[in-house]
Amino acid sequence: MADIIQLLPDHVANQIAAGEVVQRPASVVKELLENAIDAGADTIKLIIKDAGKTLVQVIDNGKGMSPTDARLSFERHATSKIKSAEDLFQLHTKGFRGEALASIAAIAHVELKTKQASNDVGNALVIEGSQVVSQDVVVTPTGTSVAVKNLFFNIPARRNFLKSDTVELRHVVDEFYRVALAHPSISFVMYNNGSESFNLPISNYRQRIVNIFGNKTNEKLVPVDEDTEVLNVSGFVGKPEFAKKSRGEQYFFVNDRFIKSAYLNHAIASAFEGLLKPGMHASYFLNLQVDPQSIDINIHPTKTEIKFDDEHTLYAILRAAVKHSLGQFNIAPVLDFERDPNLDTPYNYKETVISTPKVEVDRSFNPFKDASQPSVTSTQRSSHTSSFSRQEGHKSSSDWEGLYVGLESKSNESVVDFSEVEFESEEETLSIFNGDHQVEQTHTTYQLHKKYIVSTIKSGMLIIDQFRAHQRVLYEEFLRNMTSREGVSQQLLFPLQLHFSPQDIDIVNQLKADLEHTGFVFSNVDEELVEITGVPVNVPESEVSIILEQLISDVEHEVPDSNFSATDLLAKSMAKSLAIKTGQSLQKDEQEHLVNKLFACKDPNVSPANRVTFVTMSVDELDKKFI
C-alpha cells in the first residue's frame, strides 16, 4: 500500500499559519506595530487605506535590518528573540515566534524597505504570496518600512468573510489604541485614506489617554498605584458616574502587552460593587508588572491571553488596589464619624469659668388670689392687675354676670339654619360611595413578575414579553418616521452637551441625517463635542447620552455586511434603549395600550432582533396540566 502522509509545501503551510495569526487587517496592524516597537523606534507611523484591505503600512525609525536579516525575517520560525526553550519564560519583547511576517507574506503583497544607521544605503524586498519577487539596494531613511497590500488576494474566501470598512476600521483603531496606550514613551501617527486621524506625541500615561479619548476624559480618571512583591499596579480607573453600557474603554496591560482576562475584569467589577447601576461597566486603563517567569504568553496565537501562576493573589491585590483608590479620592461612600463643628465650644468661651445658673421663684404668688387686690411681693403683677381693674371700672367679683350682658341677643341674630347649607363637593363625594352610579370595570390584562403581560383570548391565554413587545412597537414607529422624515422634535430649554472620542464623533456624523429624521436636532458637532437642542417627543433628556452610546456601540460591533441599512440599525438601537425594561411596573391602561399597539404592528410576532414577543396557551393545554 502506498504512503499517504506527505509534507505540505511551504507556501501552503504558511497560508495555514496565516489563518491563526492573520484574521483581518487589524491583525496585520498589531504584528507590524509590535515589530516596530521591538526595533527600538520612538516614532511610528501607521498608514491605512480602505480599512486595511488595500494597504497597511508601518514606518518606524528603529535600528533597521541587514540584507540577510531582511530576507530571513520572512522565513517560518525565524526570530532573534529566542535561542532556547527557557527563553520563552524570560520574554521582554513583543514578537518572538517568527511566524508573523511569513504568514502575512503568504496571503498579501509585501514591500519591505530597511536600513541600519551604520550603512549608507538600505535594502528593498518584494514578496508576493511567499514568493520573493525582487531584492534590491535602495536609498531609504534609517529604520524599517513594511507595506502590506491586497490582503487575502490569493484566498478570496477569506476576503469575502471580511466585514464592511466601518467595522474593519474600528478593529484597526482598537489595535492602534492598545499599542499606543501601552507605550506612551513612543510617538504614534495614524493616517486613514490620506487624512491624519491621530497624532500622539511622547507624553505620560495620563496625557496619552486624554489624547486618544478626548480632553473630557481627564476629569473622569482616578489614579491607581500599588506596589507589592508579587504585582505592581499602576494606571487609572473611571469614576462611577461616567460608566457606560458598553465595555469599550477597558484595557489591561501585563508587562506592556495588552491582554484579555475575564477573571481580572471580575476583580474590577467587584471593586466597583454598589457604585454602578445594573448593566453599567466602569472604564479602566491598568498596567500590571509581574515577573516574566510567573506568566505564560505562548498559549494563544494572538498572544492576547496569558496564563498566570497565581491568579487568586493577583485578583485580591487588584481588587484591593482599585477599592483603595476609590476610597482615597472620596469616590466610594465611607462612614463619617466626624462631629458637627456647630456643636463645638466657641474659642471665646473655652477659658470661661463655669457657673451654676440661678433660678428665681416668686414664692408669694397665689393664682387664686383676688385679682382686684395688688400683690405685695410682685410689683409687675400688681401694676398689671390694677390697670386691668381700671379698664373694667373697678368691677368686683360679684359683678361677673354683667360681663355676659348683651351676648344672648347677638347670638340669636347669628343663628344659621344648617339644613339650608349646600356643599359644592357633596354630589361628587357621595357618588364615590354610591353603588348605583358605579361603572363596572373589567380588566383583561395582568402583569406577571413585572416582566410579562397576561391577557385573555377566546381560545385561552396570551402571554406577552413587555420588553420585546415595546421594542417592536418603537422600532416600527422610528422606522416609519425616518422613512417618511416626519419625526416630531421637542426643543430643550438648555442645550445638551455630550463628549465623545474622535472615532465616536465620526460615527455620529455618519448617522446625523437619520437621527434628525427621528426628531434629534444638532446645533453643533465638533471634534469632541456634540450639542443637541432637540430630542424626539418620547425620548427623555436623561436617556439621550445612553441612546447615543448604545447606538455607537451597535454600529461598531453589529454591522452585518455591505448590505447593512443605517436606518434599520438606528431604529433597532433606539428601540432597544427606550423600550420598557423588565422590572418596570405598568398600570392597567398602559398594559392594554401596549397590547393594542403591538397587534397593530406589521409583524407583531417577533422583536426587532427576531425573538418571539408573545406565546399563547389554549384551554386544552391548561386542562392537560390538571390531568
Side-chain angles (χ1 to χ4, degrees):
M1 186 175 179
D3 297 332
I4 59 175
I5 297 178
Q6 56 184 353
L7 293 176
L8 288 173
D10 286 343
H11 68 281
V12 177
N14 287 339
Q15 288 184 2
I16 295 174
E20 297 180 350
V21 179
V22 183
Q23 301 173 356
R24 53 184 4 127
S27 305
V28 177
V29 172
K30 174 181 181 295
E31 298 293 346
L32 296 184
L33 288 178
E34 289 181 348
N35 286 342
I37 293 170
D38 287 342
D42 59 6
T43 300
I44 299 175
K45 295 181 181 179
L46 172 63
I47 302 173
I48 298 295
K49 287 186 179 179
D50 298 332
K53 298 174 183 178
T54 303
L55 173 67
V56 174
Q57 185 175 7
V58 173
I59 305 172
D60 67 70
N61 63 347
K63 55 189 178 183
M65 292 184 286
S66 65
T68 304
D69 288 344
R71 180 65 185 84
L72 285 175
S73 64
F74 288 94
E75 297 294 331
R76 292 192 67 200
H77 307 305
T79 178
S80 63
K81 284 74 179 263
I82 296 176
K83 292 183 175 59
S84 63
E86 287 74 15
D87 293 339
L88 287 171
F89 300 97
Q90 291 290 342
L91 293 173
H92 298 277
T93 56
K94 306 293 182 183
F96 59 89
R97 290 178 172 180
E99 287 184 348
L101 289 179
S103 300
I104 294 171
I107 55 174
H109 298 163
V110 180
E111 294 182 6
L112 170 69
K113 293 181 181 180
T114 182
K115 185 181 88 71
Q116 293 178 321
S118 58
N119 297 336
D120 295 332
V121 293
N123 194 261
L125 192 64
V126 178
I127 300 178
E128 296 179 359
S130 297
Q131 300 297 322
V132 179
V133 176
S134 64
Q135 185 171 2
D136 301 315
V137 176
V138 295
V139 177
T140 183
T142 300
T144 304
S145 170
V146 183
V148 179
K149 303 176 182 179
N150 304 322
L151 193 64
F152 299 124
F153 79 99
N154 54 354
I155 312 178
R158 291 292 301 276
R159 190 178 183 87
N160 292 335
F161 272 102
L162 294 178
K163 302 294 184 181
S164 65
D165 287 354
T166 305
V167 177
E168 294 299 338
L169 179 62
R170 185 62 196 183
H171 285 288
V172 169
V173 172
D174 284 342
E175 292 294 348
F176 180 79
Y177 283 174
R178 294 167 181 175
V179 177
L181 285 172
H183 302 88
S185 60
I186 300 176
S187 173
F188 290 90
V189 182
M190 177 178 170
Y191 297 93
N192 177 34
N193 293 332
S195 62
E196 183 180 279
S197 298
F198 294 96
N199 191 343
L200 309 177
I202 297 175
S203 60
N204 56 29
Y205 191 47
R206 188 185 192 112
Q207 190 61 42
R208 174 57 56 88
I209 296 174
V210 173
N211 288 338
I212 291 178
F213 296 101
N215 296 327
K216 194 69 176 179
T217 312
N218 190 35
E219 65 184 51
K220 304 177 184 179
L221 302 178
V222 178
V224 178
D225 192 5
E226 192 72 34
D227 293 338
T228 65
E229 297 179 357
V230 180
L231 172 69
N232 294 337
V233 183
S234 62
F236 302 90
V237 295
K239 295 180 180 179
E241 59 264 30
F242 297 105
K244 297 183 177 181
K245 298 189 72 174
S246 61
R247 299 177 180 267
E249 299 176 0
Q250 295 184 342
Y251 295 90
F252 272 126
F253 302 97
V254 175
N255 295 351
D256 297 333
R257 184 192 303 273
F258 173 79
I259 68 159
K260 297 178 182 178
S261 175
Y263 187 70
L264 296 182
N265 179 74
H266 188 273
I268 305 297
S270 179
F272 277 90
E273 187 177 2
L275 300 178
L276 299 178
K277 297 179 181 178
M280 305 298 285
H281 305 281
S283 304
Y284 55 79
F285 312 87
L286 296 176
N287 294 309
L288 313 179
Q289 295 294 328
V290 298
D291 186 359
Q293 295 184 355
S294 65
I295 59 176
D296 185 4
I297 305 172
N298 197 28
I299 65 170
H300 195 274
T302 60
K303 294 168 288 187
T304 55
E305 296 180 8
I306 290 180
K307 177 65 178 176
F308 297 94
D309 285 349
D310 191 359
E311 287 186 332
H312 297 289
T313 302
L314 298 183
Y315 182 98
I317 295 175
L318 189 60
R319 179 179 180 273
V322 174
K323 211 170 184 63
H324 173 71
S325 294
L326 294 176
Q328 183 180 6
F329 292 94
N330 294 327
I331 304 300
V334 295
L335 291 176
D336 187 5
F337 292 103
E338 295 181 1
R339 63 180 182 274
D340 187 353
N342 294 327
L343 301 178
D344 294 341
T345 305
Y347 291 105
N348 298 336
Y349 291 89
K350 283 193 173 181
E351 305 300 330
T352 306
V353 180
I354 299 175
S355 58
T356 305
K358 295 181 180 180
V359 180
E360 296 183 358
V361 180
D362 185 3
R363 300 184 182 278
S364 61
F365 174 70
N366 186 358
F368 303 102
K369 211 168 188 180
D370 189 356
S372 61
Q373 296 181 2
S375 174
V376 181
T377 57
S378 179
T379 57
Q380 184 178 2
R381 180 173 177 80
S382 63
S383 62
H384 176 72
T385 307
S386 60
S387 63
F388 175 76
S389 300
R390 284 193 300 271
Q391 293 174 5
E392 294 296 325
H394 302 283
K395 292 182 180 181
S396 61
S397 58
S398 60
D399 299 333
W400 64 269
E401 294 180 354
L403 296 173
Y404 300 97
V405 175
L407 289 181
E408 184 177 357
S409 59
K410 293 180 181 180
S411 62
N412 292 334
E413 296 174 359
S414 62
V415 171
V416 180
D417 186 6
F418 288 98
S419 61
E420 300 177 358
V421 176
E422 294 183 358
F423 298 96
E424 293 182 359
S425 59
E426 181 179 3
E427 291 186 1
E428 297 180 4
T429 306
L430 292 177
S431 65
I432 295 177
F433 304 99
N434 189 357
D436 296 335
H437 299 284
Q438 282 186 346
V439 178
E440 185 178 357
Q441 297 182 354
T442 58
H443 300 295
T444 58
T445 60
Y446 303 92
Q447 191 176 25
L448 181 63
H449 294 298
K450 296 183 179 180
K451 183 177 182 180
Y452 300 105
I453 297 176
V454 182
S455 179
T456 57
I457 54 178
K458 291 182 179 180
S459 60
M461 181 171 59
L462 180 71
I463 304 175
I464 302 173
D465 187 310
Q466 66 183 31
F467 176 59
R468 296 180 184 178
H470 199 211
Q471 276 192 73
R472 165 53 64 177
V473 173
L474 293 177
Y475 168 70
E476 294 196 3
E477 182 179 339
F478 288 136
L479 206 59
R480 192 184 315 112
N481 291 339
M482 284 185 281
T483 305
S484 59
R485 302 186 178 186
E486 296 178 353
V488 181
S489 178
Q490 177 182 357
Q491 295 300 309
L492 299 177
L493 184 60
F494 300 103
L496 187 62
Q497 295 184 345
L498 305 175
H499 295 267
F500 295 101
S501 65
Q503 287 297 317
D504 294 343
I505 293 293
D506 291 341
I507 296 177
V508 173
N509 281 323
Q510 295 174 17
L511 302 174
K512 182 180 176 183
D514 290 325
L515 285 171
E516 288 175 343
H517 295 159
T518 64
F520 283 97
V521 179
F522 296 89
S523 60
N524 182 31
V525 179
D526 206 346
E527 293 182 354
E528 297 180 1
L529 177 68
V530 175
E531 191 172 79
I532 300 175
T533 57
V535 296
V537 175
N538 55 348
V539 176
E541 183 179 348
S542 59
E543 295 284 334
V544 174
S545 61
I546 299 176
I547 292 172
L548 290 182
E549 288 176 7
Q550 184 68 47
L551 178 60
I552 292 171
S553 177
D554 291 344
V555 172
E556 290 173 353
H557 302 102
E558 296 182 6
V559 179
D561 51 25
S562 57
N563 298 325
F564 141 76
S565 169
T567 304
D568 184 72
L569 178 61
L570 178 59
K572 287 182 180 178
S573 181
M574 292 181 61
K576 183 168 62 175
S577 301
L578 294 173
I580 298 170
K581 302 297 186 293
T582 298
Q584 183 173 345
S585 179
L586 300 178
Q587 301 295 329
K588 295 296 182 182
D589 54 346
E590 294 175 332
Q591 299 171 22
E592 295 176 0
H593 179 72
L594 179 58
V595 174
N596 295 333
K597 293 286 286 185
L598 174 64
F599 289 101
C601 294
K602 294 181 179 179
D603 189 5
N605 298 317
V606 293
S607 69
N610 289 326
R611 295 184 177 181
V612 178
T613 57
F614 66 88
V615 294
T616 58
M617 184 173 290
S618 64
V619 177
D620 294 337
E621 292 176 341
L622 288 173
D623 292 338
K624 292 178 182 179
K625 300 291 184 182
F626 294 93
I627 295 178

